């Protein structure tokens, strides 16, 4: 999508003149723009998928009762081949972009607020398919990673089989996980930080149902992949207080996201290709080895 089309969509639906528009670097499934008028800023999201924002609108409305910092839906519709969504603007940048600037006390406070938000989200009413199981969710992620790794050949497919064996080792824990709602896509992105403080959560296109520890695991792997410290992870876990088996599950989830990241390398989403080179391949392989060492230190407790 070019800027001209984005401006037409915005101006036709808001009756406001665009002063400035910029494409966001985030978003691999959508075209995302920050649109400035003379007095305000807005977010314009566009996609060629049919009913692309049906779930987004549903969940933003559902979460509005939680009193958490999320965007407000201002307009939605279709333009030519595109579905579009106009949202209120929340100032801030992805935590991954400003993480190196944050003090330990700021990371700790952000972690406290994030877990408080997750606990609010966990109380909303959701309905699930009668056949829902947490193992099926885990299987879906691992099978997707397996197919992608097999197709691209950048990584050893044997790593998938290792993680699937670990899945069997903690079955007693996994089968007990209930479909509890949580925000599962706030890692180093989608969590906005402004002046060292949490300002908002964006790109809520779906809701996680299951074990909240997965969002912490994804964040840890993302931080490691960016060569950043993981103090924020320690603060998140301090707020959650996982017991031994919960911590072991957390390490298992880290391994899932590690192979998931491997599977994404070289993939193309819209007009963006996830970068891959020898350095990236080595880093993810090293992360996998580090996580396996951590798993081995967790001991035999599985209940």
């Amino acid at each position: 999508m070019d800027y001209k089309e984005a401006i037409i969509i915005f101006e036709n639906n808001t009756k406001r003149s665009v002063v400035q528009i910029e494409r966001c670097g985030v978003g691999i499934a959508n075209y995302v723009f920050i649109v400035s008028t003379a007095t305000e800023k807005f977010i314009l999201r566009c996609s060629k998928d049919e009913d692309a924002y049906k779930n987004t609108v549903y969940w933003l409305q559902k979460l509005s009762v939680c009193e958490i910092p999320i965007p407000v839906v201002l307009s939605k519709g279709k333009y030519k081949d595109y579905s579009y969504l106009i949202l209120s603007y929340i100032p801030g940048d992805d935590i991954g972009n400003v993480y190196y600037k944050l003090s330990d006390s700021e990371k700790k406070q952000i972690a406290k607020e994030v877990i408080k938000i997750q606990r609010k989200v966990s109380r909303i009413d959701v309905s699930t398919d009668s056949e829902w199981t947490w193992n099926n969710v885990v299987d879906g992620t691992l099978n997707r990673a397996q197919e992608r790794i097999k197709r691209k050949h950048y990584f050893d497919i044997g790593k998938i089989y290792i993680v699937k064996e670990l899945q069997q080792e903690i079955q007693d824990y996994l089968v007990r996980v209930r479909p509890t709602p949580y925000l599962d896509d706030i890692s180093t992105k989608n969590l906005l930080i402004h002046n060292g403080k949490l300002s908002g959560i964006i790109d809520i296109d779906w809701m996680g149902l299951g074990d909240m520890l997965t969002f912490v695991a994804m964040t840890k792997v993302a931080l490691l992949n960016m060569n950043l410290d993981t103090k924020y992870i320690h603060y998140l876990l301090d707020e959650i207080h996982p017991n031994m088996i919960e911590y072991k599950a957390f390490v298992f989830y880290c391994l899932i996201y590690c192979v998931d990241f491997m599977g994404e390398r070289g993939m193309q989403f819209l007009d963006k290709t996830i970068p891959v080179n020898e350095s990236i391949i080595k880093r993810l392989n090293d992360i996998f080895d580090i996580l396996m060492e951590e798993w081995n230190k967790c001991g035999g407790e599985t209940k």
Side-chain angles (χ1 to χ4, degrees), residues 19-32:
V19 173
Q20 183 178 349
I21 184 168
E22 57 182 302
R23 170 95 183 268
C24 294
V26 299
I28 59 176
N30 302 269
Y31 296 94
V32 183

Side-chain angles (χ1 to χ4, degrees), residues 140-164 254-267 269 276 281 284-285 288:
T141 302
L142 287 175
N143 291 339
R144 180 183 64 187
Q146 179 175 336
E147 188 275 330
R148 288 174 172 177
I149 290 174
K150 187 176 181 180
R151 191 193 326 164
K152 294 292 183 178
H153 305 292
Y154 294 124
F155 296 91
D156 179 8
I157 196 70
K159 288 181 168 59
I160 293 287
Y161 304 137
I162 290 172
V163 179
K164 287 189 174 184
C254 287
L255 285 160
I256 288 178
Y257 283 110
C258 186
V259 295
D260 190 44
F261 281 25
M262 290 176 177
E264 287 184 345
R265 297 298 106 184
M267 291 288 295
F269 301 91
V276 60
I281 292 170
L284 283 171
N285 281 328
F288 185 89

Side-chain angles (χ1 to χ4, degrees), residues 100-113:
Y100 70 98
K101 299 179 183 178
L102 298 175
S103 67
D104 289 354
S105 61
E106 288 172 333
K107 292 172 186 173
K108 188 173 185 178
Q109 182 59 33
I110 292 166
K112 187 183 294 290
E113 291 180 32

Side-chain angles (χ1 to χ4, degrees), residues 1 23 27-28 30-31 267-274:
M1 162 173 268
R23 170 95 183 268
I28 59 176
N30 302 269
Y31 296 94
M267 291 288 295
Q268 184 166 345
F269 301 91
L270 295 180
D271 55 352
K272 298 179 182 179
T273 300
I274 306 300

Side-chain angles (χ1 to χ4, degrees), residues 1-42:
M1 162 173 268
D2 60 29
Y3 288 94
K4 182 179 179 180
E5 289 178 306
I7 291 171
I8 290 172
I9 291 172
F10 181 84
E11 291 187 340
N12 285 352
N13 287 277
T14 65
K15 309 306 178 186
R16 298 167 186 253
S17 297
V18 173
V19 173
Q20 183 178 349
I21 184 168
E22 57 182 302
R23 170 95 183 268
C24 294
V26 299
I28 59 176
N30 302 269
Y31 296 94
V32 183
F33 301 90
I34 299 175
V35 183
S36 299
T37 66
T39 57
E40 294 178 85
K41 288 185 177 182
F42 302 85

